[in-house]
Each structure stands twice: as structure tokens, then as C-alpha cells.
Amino acid sequence: MPRATVADVHELARSMPGVERAEGTTVVYQVRRKSFVFFRNPRPDAFDPETGERYDDVIVFWVASDADKQALIDDASTPFFTTPHFNGHPSVLLRGCRIGELGRDELAEIVYDAWLARAPKRLAREWLDEHGLR
């Protein structure tokens, strides 16, 4: 199984219908002006516990529900995490340096689910139907 890369995040996000990359200093992928994957600037809430250095490679993925979020961050076999800043926010975080812990297919599922969580219902239904997933 091929391992996921950061380049795969970009490729997978751009492959979804109606996606635009928002202009700005960080990369933000949106569907109909709703973000579903974005790359964060270093922030005080995501840091190395040993050195205190802020992570400069955090990627945020939307999720459909808090249950989905908890399932991902509670699963010790995945590299997903959250911070207090994201309490109550339907998203999970992933460091780019750990993305290779996921297979490309696993990453694709995360990106597709992020897009589905934010896409208009009709567009999402069409995509699911096209891919035989409904």
C-alpha cells in the first residue's frame, strides 16, 4: 500500500468537484467558500511538548461530527490529534511530518469525508452516486 504524502493532500483536495484554493498566505481548500482542508501557520496551541517549538506543518481536516473526530483522535494507530483551540470544532489535525503513517487510500478517505462534510448536499449526493457510494 503506497504511503500518503503532503502532495497527496493537495492532489486529492483539488480533485473534488467545485473546489477552489483560497487566496492567502496559507493553503486553504474550499468548496463553495467553505473550507474543508487547510494548512495552518505555526500557532501557540500546537507545539512540541519537549522543546516548546510550534509545529509548522499542521494540516486541518473537517469531519462530519464530533463522534467522527473522537474516533480519529482516540485511535492510537492514527497520527490525528486536536488541541484545546479546536474543542467543539468539527475537525482533526495532522502534522505533515507524520502523514506517511497513513496509506494513500486512508488519506483519500479523510479528504473525501472532509469535502463531504462541507459540500452542498446536492453536489455531495451527485459525487457519491458517481462513485457508487450511496
Side-chain angles (χ1 to χ4, degrees), residues 19-78:
V19 169
E20 294 182 0
R21 181 175 162 177
E23 296 298 320
T25 56
T26 60
V27 176
V28 179
Y29 291 103
Q30 299 178 326
V31 55
R32 305 282 165 88
R33 302 183 152 215
K34 292 182 178 181
S35 303
F36 68 99
V37 172
F38 66 91
F39 291 72
R40 287 182 84 199
N41 286 327
R43 301 284 305 261
D45 65 307
F47 60 91
D48 183 308
E50 292 179 19
T51 67
E53 187 175 332
R54 293 179 184 181
Y55 297 145
D56 62 359
D57 63 345
V58 175
I59 309 166
V60 180
F61 300 88
W62 246 258
V63 293
S65 69
D66 192 55
D68 292 336
K69 175 180 184 165
Q70 288 307 128
L72 286 169
I73 61 176
D74 290 345
D75 183 346
S77 73
T78 74

Side-chain angles (χ1 to χ4, degrees), residues 75-90:
D75 183 346
S77 73
T78 74
F80 296 102
F81 69 103
T82 191
T83 68
H85 177 77
F86 284 92
N87 285 348
H89 191 271

Side-chain angles (χ1 to χ4, degrees), residues 8-26:
D8 291 332
V9 175
H10 296 284
E11 180 184 330
L12 291 162
R14 284 191 310 258
S15 76
M16 300 307 291
V19 169
E20 294 182 0
R21 181 175 162 177
E23 296 298 320
T25 56
T26 60

Side-chain angles (χ1 to χ4, degrees), residues 103-118:
R104 190 176 191 287
D105 290 346
E106 292 171 297
L107 177 64
E109 185 176 336
I110 296 296
V111 172
Y112 299 160
D113 286 348
W115 181 87
L116 287 164
R118 303 291 284 168

